[in-house]
Amino acid sequence: MATPSPVRVYEQIKEAYLKYVDTAFWLRDPTLLAERRALLARSDTLFTDVLLEPVLPYDPVERLDEVSEELGLTREAGLLVGEALFRRIIPPGGSARIHPHQARALRDSFLPGDAPGRNPVLTSGTGSGKTESFLIPILLRLVGESSHWRPQPEPHEWWMGQSQADWTHVRSSESRSAAVRAIVLYPTNALVEDQISRLRSAVRYMGANGRRLWFGRYTGLTLGSLASRPRPGRRDDRVEEAALELRIMASEFDDLVRAMGADAEILREFADPRLGEMLTRWDMVEAPPDILVTNYSMLNAMLMRDFEEPLFEATKAWLRSQDSVLTLVVDELHLYRGTQGSEVAMVVRNLLDRLGIGPDSPKLRVMATSASLSSSSDGLSYLEEFFGIDRCAFDIVAGVPRRPVANLPVALGSLASNGNAPAEHMSGSALSRAVAAACRGDGGITRATRLPLVGARLFGPDHYDEPAMERVLESISASGGDSDAIPLRAHMFARTMRGMWACSDPHCASAPAREGASVGRLFDKPRNTCECGGRVLELLYCFECGDVSLGGYVVGDLGDEGVLLSSTPAEVPLTEPQPLFRRDVSHYRWYRPGVVPTERTW
């Protein structure tokens, strides 16, 4: 079955949304109900045009193993890291290829400790591999250091022991120095969860190939209550509670492996305490992981407590060794602005001070990602102020995506005047490139573009029609795409109904013919008067029976003749907007138009 086009998907969303409006805001009068639905469906009150956005790919052109050799590491190190991160897309017998901006960031991070541009800041677009841009140098450094480690024993699975035994951490049998080699700082826990699976997959693969590394996610959700005694003691109930959770994790992971196979992609979404992931605070404090993943709020709390002091002291001691380099990654750097930015900058300075290194230390490498930071003087000033490092130490790496090339317009059903094949005969990848080219504006910038405008550029302003555009999108979807195709992303927006307004004249000449109507023409936006001259007021309905009424804000007092109502308040903006049932009678009135039929007499 072919995947439906964004046009058809959006129509289904709109239909479902309008059915909800009909149900939740039901009106007794079926003609009024149908008129409201038609008004909401054809206007821009609830819906907009579909926006198509090409996700321009970044072509991988450099071999990671060759770049690794160039930096003084071994080719085997580059092959191992490449397979750990990209093994599912590497062709059989091939080597991982990385994007030019990833290679540039890698070379930057291995420059000497006082070299200009040693701290790369990635500003490439969506889907450009910014996460891998900092994982590659982190993992390569760890692989290089691990070549000097002696073989290490298996982890101590304390969660499988007896509750009465003294607690000892998971790395208690190791002989190599435990310290944080890299800190990855995310702005929120949601982003931590989104990115952690890639790191988990890479660490597991490297561990299975003789390079056991450790990483830990230290957030407010991390296991291991501090309580009154931070470190677990003998017969500690907290240990048994955490051990039970870890046993459940390990058991569920084993069940998944049996059901889906050891190479299933879904496994990277599930934690396993036996495969290089430290899952309790106690373990990470007693023997810090090689890679610590956290957020700025938790890092600030860690720096202010005595409990986490061993983690920082172990890292500080490791930094005194000759070739040690700490990598600090700040993801989504552009989010740290204003007061919050100043606070996070102080957290970073506090961290470096606790570790006994300055911002300009040759033992520090800073890496950052940002969606909007520019290479202008303002961007460099921001980096200098945030990190406290001279601007010449940064290299802003933008990356260059593939530029879609196509001859527009394409033809419909016959050869175009420029000799191009008609759209019906073009491959899915060729159509995707043509649509991507149609999303490029006059300034040469490719961006999300309204579907009618894409169609007008694709077929020419005199030949566009929506069914043809829908057929093109369905062809692209059915083709499945290949390395030459340009992925397309559709944006569909809908918002809640802000209200409905109606002419107060039941004999409104602008309204469609209705039998026994109590109100005139409907409007999806407030206005003072109808085209017929009648006053427009807010359309109200009874939640129980669907009967309609009209209401308005009091804008004038006519004495014995009543009050003058308006669809909008006299005070703009309204100081305290209130629900209808709480509006004061001196500011808002409502009434039911017409006469209520009744069999009773007075």
Side-chain angles (χ1 to χ4, degrees):
M1 180 183 295
T3 304
S5 72
V7 176
R8 189 168 301 179
V9 170
Y10 198 34
E11 288 301 322
Q12 293 172 351
I13 293 174
K14 290 165 66 174
E15 178 64 21
Y17 198 178
L18 291 173
K19 285 182 178 178
Y20 160 75
V21 171
D22 289 345
T23 304
F25 309 101
W26 178 74
L27 302 179
R28 179 193 298 177
D29 187 339
T31 58
L32 206 60
L33 189 70
E35 186 179 337
R36 182 184 67 183
R37 172 184 260 260
L39 178 63
L40 294 176
R42 71 170 179 262
S43 71
D44 61 353
T45 303
L46 301 184
F47 311 103
T48 64
D49 290 323
V50 174
L51 296 174
L52 282 184
E53 179 188 10
V55 183
L56 300 180
Y58 293 74
D59 294 321
V61 296
E62 299 205 46
R63 289 180 48 150
L64 180 53
D65 58 338
E66 293 178 353
V67 179
S68 177
E69 280 188 306
E70 173 192 325
L71 297 174
L73 301 170
T74 64
R75 179 175 178 271
E76 288 70 24
L79 288 172
L80 177 61
V81 172
E83 290 169 357
L85 291 171
F86 309 110
R87 62 187 178 279
R88 298 189 184 277
I89 59 174
I90 298 176
S95 172
R97 292 184 177 270
I98 57 177
H99 305 308
H101 59 274
Q102 292 174 331
R104 179 172 161 184
L106 175 57
R107 291 186 175 101
D108 286 346
S109 64
F110 275 82
L111 287 171
D114 57 352
R118 63 186 180 274
N119 299 320
V121 179
L122 279 299
T123 61
S124 53
T126 302
S128 63
K130 287 195 291 290
T131 299
E132 286 74 14
S133 295
F134 61 76
L135 287 181
I136 291 171
I138 287 175
L139 294 177
L140 276 176
R141 281 193 184 277
L142 286 169
V143 171
E145 184 183 352
S146 68
S147 63
H148 304 293
W149 299 341
R150 290 178 295 177
Q152 300 297 309
E154 292 298 312
H156 170 57
E157 299 180 6
W158 58 264
W159 53 90
M160 300 300 294
Q162 299 298 320
S163 59
Q164 68 269 18
D166 287 332
W167 177 86
T168 52
H169 60 83
V170 68
R171 299 178 62 184
S172 56
S173 301
E174 291 187 356
S175 60
R176 74 176 179 94
S177 61
V180 176
R181 271 79 169 170
I183 299 175
V184 185
L185 198 61
Y186 288 101
T188 63
N189 281 349
L191 286 172
V192 174
E193 295 293 335
D194 181 57
Q195 304 289 348
I196 203 73
S197 61
R198 306 185 202 183
L199 179 58
R200 179 183 290 138
S201 175
V203 168
R204 286 176 182 174
Y205 182 85
M206 296 174 74
N209 287 271
R211 303 294 178 96
R212 181 183 294 119
L213 305 177
W214 292 95
F215 80 98
R217 172 180 41 188
Y218 206 111
T219 69
L221 300 177
T222 304
L223 291 175
S225 171
L226 304 184
S228 58
R229 291 177 291 115
R231 192 182 189 281
R234 190 176 181 85
R235 298 182 179 275
D236 198 324
D237 292 339
R238 296 175 300 162
V239 174
E240 186 54 38
E241 291 174 3
L244 177 60
E245 291 201 43
L246 295 181
R247 288 196 296 271
I248 292 173
M249 288 183 191
S251 176
E252 290 178 344
F253 188 86
D254 291 339
D255 291 342
L256 284 170
V257 170
R258 283 190 290 270
M260 310 185 72
D263 294 329
E265 178 74 9
I266 193 66
L267 292 178
R268 72 180 197 169
E269 305 297 333
F270 295 88
D272 186 339
R274 302 163 296 183
L275 299 178
E277 183 170 2
M278 305 180 81
L279 294 168
T280 71
R281 302 184 190 200
W282 312 316
D283 280 322
M284 284 184 269
V285 170
E286 293 293 319
D290 302 306
I291 305 172
L292 180 70
V293 181
T294 185
N295 56 66
Y296 73 89
S297 178
M298 178 55 68
L299 180 59
N300 185 45
M302 293 167 65
L303 289 166
M304 293 189 297
R305 294 191 298 228
D306 292 335
F307 170 63
E308 285 90 358
E309 185 64 23
L311 182 147
F312 297 113
E313 286 299 318
T315 304
K316 183 177 180 179
W318 170 77
L319 281 169
R320 287 195 288 266
S321 59
Q322 183 176 359
D323 298 323
S324 58
V325 174
L326 173 72
T327 303
L328 174 64
V329 178
V330 181
D331 192 48
E332 305 290 346
L333 181 63
H334 57 277
L335 297 180
Y336 302 121
R337 296 284 186 178
T339 302
Q340 185 191 37
S342 300
E343 292 173 352
V344 178
M346 292 303 297
V347 172
V348 171
R349 285 163 171 76
N350 190 9
L351 168 68
L352 299 181
D353 181 68
R354 180 69 65 88
L355 298 178
I357 58 175
D360 57 349
S361 171
K363 290 185 172 292
L364 175 67
R365 291 295 182 279
V366 168
M367 302 188 74
T369 68
S370 172
S372 58
L373 192 72
S374 70
S375 58
S376 65
S377 176
D378 289 342
L380 292 171
S381 296
Y382 171 75
L383 291 171
E384 189 174 62
E385 293 171 2
F386 185 89
F387 290 104
I389 304 173
D390 189 275
R391 66 181 62 193
C392 70
F394 294 99
D395 180 22
I396 297 181
V397 184
V400 179
R402 184 191 308 171
R403 181 181 177 86
V405 178
N407 292 323
L408 301 180
V410 300
L412 282 173
S414 62
L415 289 177
S417 59
N418 58 8
N420 291 338
E424 286 83 352
H425 298 163
M426 295 173 66
S427 66
S429 60
L431 285 173
S432 72
R433 294 194 297 272
V435 171
C439 292
R440 190 167 56 239
D442 296 335
I445 301 176
T446 302
R447 56 164 57 93
T449 307
R450 293 172 46 249
L451 191 61
L453 180 55
V454 174
R457 291 173 179 170
L458 187 65
F459 302 119
D462 299 328
H463 298 90
Y464 168 68
D465 63 87
E466 188 170 300
M469 191 70 220
E470 186 173 352
R471 289 197 300 273
V472 166
L473 295 177
E474 287 177 346
S475 297
I476 295 173
S477 175
S479 68
D482 53 37
S483 59
D484 293 328
I486 304 292
L488 301 171
R489 178 163 53 196
H491 301 270
M492 309 172 191
F493 296 97
R495 63 184 177 190
T496 57
M497 188 170 63
R498 293 176 295 174
M500 191 64 59
W501 292 262
C503 175
S504 58
D505 184 359
H507 306 293
C508 174
S510 299
R514 306 193 211 102
E515 184 177 350
S518 58
V519 297
R521 178 182 173 183
L522 298 184
F523 298 93
D524 57 5
K525 296 179 179 66
R527 53 190 292 173
N528 291 327
T529 57
C530 176
E531 294 175 357
C532 73
R535 181 161 291 276
V536 175
L537 296 173
E538 188 174 9
L539 183 70
L540 309 175
Y541 79 104
C542 174
F543 184 79
E544 298 293 337
C545 69
D547 194 30
V548 297
S549 300
L550 293 174
Y553 294 90
V554 177
V555 295
D557 189 347
L558 304 180
D560 294 338
E561 297 183 6
V563 293
L564 182 64
L565 301 181
S566 171
S567 60
T568 55
E571 301 176 5
V572 180
L574 197 61
T575 53
E576 292 184 6
Q578 295 287 348
L580 176 66
F581 64 91
R582 299 190 64 181
R583 294 175 188 172
D584 191 278
V585 69
S586 62
H587 295 93
Y588 191 88
R589 304 284 178 89
W590 69 271
Y591 70 97
R592 184 191 185 280
V595 178
V596 179
T598 178
E599 297 179 357
R600 295 189 178 189
T601 58
W602 297 90

